[in-house]
Amino acid sequence: MAIREVLKMGHPLLKQVSRPVHEFGTRELLDLVVDMEDTVRSLNGAGIAAPQIGVPLRVVIFEVKNNPRYPDAGEVPFTVLVNPELALLGDELEDGWEGCLSVPGLRGLVPRHRRLRYSGYDAHGRPFERTVEGFHARVVQHEVDHLDGILYPMRLRSLLDLGYEDTLFPKGAALPPD
Ligand code: NI
């Protein structure tokens, strides 16, 4: 399919609440998912949400495979998640560095819930749910935030926790994923 332009912070579509998907398995939805996959892979991102390529639907994809750029992240299987619902488990928060393809060049230290259960559908409308923690839980929270018009800088405890990645991580080692 196609690598699409990723909208950047400030674009009105990134501030909107996206609409649920009502029809599954359509050419339109399957093509959207392929475009999201092509786009996120081309940029070595960990995930992307449909509004980031200008489509205001509740669709996110994510994947973290063994990657030397971020050895501590653990593996997250390739997942297409449509109409996600999150159930936060417990009150425990964990700080971690995040980046975002819509906020290029910056990283921020973001508190997220450590454990959660998420549920939703794949692109064919098959329901599934998972209970996850740590980086997997972080990625899901980051991507689902996009569907509600929230970018990670809005989650920072302080703007002191935001910076340029080449300054925060000058050797490129242990660079956290986008
Ligand atoms: Ni993002």
Side-chain angles (χ1 to χ4, degrees), residues 96-135:
W97 289 98
E98 295 184 18
C100 181
L101 300 177
S102 293
V103 192
L106 297 177
R107 300 283 162 153
L109 190 61
V110 184
R112 298 283 187 186
H113 284 269
R114 208 179 86 74
R115 296 187 70 236
L116 59 82
R117 180 165 54 246
Y118 65 93
S119 59
Y121 302 85
D122 71 13
H124 296 279
R126 291 181 287 247
F128 66 100
E129 68 168 46
R130 291 185 185 137
T131 299
V132 300
E133 61 182 41
F135 191 75

Side-chain angles (χ1 to χ4, degrees), residues 4-17:
R4 304 267 290 262
E5 180 192 355
V6 177
L7 305 181
K8 292 188 205 162
M9 183 167 63
H11 194 287
L13 268 182
L14 295 175
K15 304 177 190 177
Q16 288 185 10
V17 176

Side-chain angles (χ1 to χ4, degrees), residues 99-170:
C100 181
L101 300 177
S102 293
V103 192
L106 297 177
R107 300 283 162 153
L109 190 61
V110 184
R112 298 283 187 186
H113 284 269
R114 208 179 86 74
R115 296 187 70 236
L116 59 82
R117 180 165 54 246
Y118 65 93
S119 59
Y121 302 85
D122 71 13
H124 296 279
R126 291 181 287 247
F128 66 100
E129 68 168 46
R130 291 185 185 137
T131 299
V132 300
E133 61 182 41
F135 191 75
H136 192 154
R138 173 174 302 279
V139 169
V140 173
Q141 289 169 88
H142 177 114
E143 298 307 333
V144 172
D145 265 355
H146 278 295
L147 307 182
D148 293 322
I150 298 168
L151 298 177
Y152 81 79
M154 298 159 70
R155 298 287 195 190
L156 296 171
R157 295 182 202 277
S158 161
L159 282 174
L160 293 171
D161 294 334
L162 184 68
Y164 288 95
E165 68 181 24
D166 56 4
T167 301
L168 289 164
F169 305 97

